[in-house]
Amino acid sequence: EQTPRQSGPKVPATDPVHGPQSPGRMSVCSLAHRPSSGQPATWKMPIYPYRANELRPENSQLKATALQNAILGSATFSIIATDDQGIIQLFNRGAERMLGYTAAEVVNRISPSDIHDQQEVSARALALSEELGTAIAPGFEALAFKASRGIEDIYELTYIRKDGTRFPAVVSITALHGEADDIIGYLLIGADNSQRKRIEENLHEAMAAADNA
């Protein structure tokens, strides 16, 4: 009679923070939204490697988790992730500080285009339509069109805070791909560009004053 084989430590199939796990593979973050395919959308973002029977919390797991938490917890940059339809799924501390919304107020509720100046978004849609020779609708499509086609895209538009105040933002947008290389969302990383704008304005004023002297 064979002795039953002893299994390693029991690992939950789904981690509430990092999403679905599989032995010996890199874990991935899980987005809350289910796209049109009906399957849970997952970011192709590695968190930490481990095997089901070999947990090493003191090594790369804790380091990688700490790094991820530090990035998402950054108050310097606005980090916003959406699903494939452009609905916000992640809104980090920096986005909360910069825009005045809590994550609960925007996640699964609005699109990043809703916190942009709408006239500027419409102007961007028109400019991209002319540049790329195809009709691009105002709204989130105007923000994500280049990224959806693998084109690096960094743009400067006006963000509008919850209280209605406005500020210039530089935003980098990237498509997030699933395991089948399909687009399952978008990542927008933004920075407040107000200080650089003030410096440029002061420089122009000083140059104009010098010319008129």
Side-chain angles (χ1 to χ4, degrees):
E1 182 178 356
Q2 291 184 343
T3 302
R5 185 176 179 181
Q6 297 297 319
S7 61
K10 185 175 292 185
V11 179
T14 302
D15 182 290
V17 176
H18 303 110
Q21 312 294 333
S22 60
R25 298 187 60 185
M26 196 74 80
S27 65
V28 293
C29 290
S30 177
L31 297 178
H33 177 76
R34 290 178 181 266
S36 55
S37 64
Q39 297 299 316
T42 56
W43 296 12
K44 206 171 185 179
M45 179 185 290
I47 305 302
Y48 52 82
Y50 70 89
R51 297 182 183 279
N53 61 351
E54 185 181 355
L55 301 180
R56 300 181 183 278
E58 71 282 9
N59 295 323
S60 60
Q61 175 180 335
L62 289 181
K63 290 180 180 179
T65 301
L67 177 60
Q68 180 202 13
N69 290 339
I71 293 171
L72 296 180
S74 170
T76 304
F77 296 98
S78 162
I79 300 178
I80 301 172
T82 77
D83 60 20
D84 60 328
Q85 299 300 309
I87 303 301
I88 294 174
Q89 300 296 304
L90 182 147
F91 200 74
N92 83 326
R93 186 179 303 169
E96 290 182 325
R97 181 193 63 80
M98 199 176 291
L99 292 160
Y101 294 94
T102 65
E105 291 176 303
V106 298
V107 170
N108 284 324
R109 292 175 181 271
I110 66 172
S111 164
S113 59
D114 295 327
I115 57 178
H116 285 69
D117 180 284
Q118 296 305 302
Q119 290 185 342
E120 292 181 359
V121 173
S122 295
R124 174 178 165 86
L126 180 61
L128 287 177
S129 297
E130 294 176 353
E131 175 188 345
L132 301 174
T134 186
I136 298 173
F140 187 72
E141 183 182 5
L143 303 182
F145 190 85
K146 281 189 172 182
S148 69
R149 279 139 181 89
I151 304 172
E152 181 180 1
D153 196 12
I154 299 175
Y155 63 82
E156 181 176 341
L157 291 177
T158 300
Y159 267 170
I160 301 178
R161 300 184 180 93
K162 182 180 178 180
D163 64 7
T165 57
R166 306 155 66 90
F167 66 95
V170 175
V171 182
S172 170
I173 181 168
T174 306
L176 301 172
H177 294 268
E179 292 185 357
D181 207 34
D182 54 326
I183 293 178
I184 51 94
Y186 296 88
L187 182 67
L188 297 88
I189 301 178
D192 187 337
N193 203 33
S194 300
Q195 185 174 358
R196 186 178 71 82
K197 284 289 188 182
R198 284 194 295 268
I199 292 173
E200 289 180 351
E201 290 172 0
N202 292 338
L203 180 59
H204 290 157
E205 290 174 1
M207 292 175 66
D211 290 340
N212 295 329

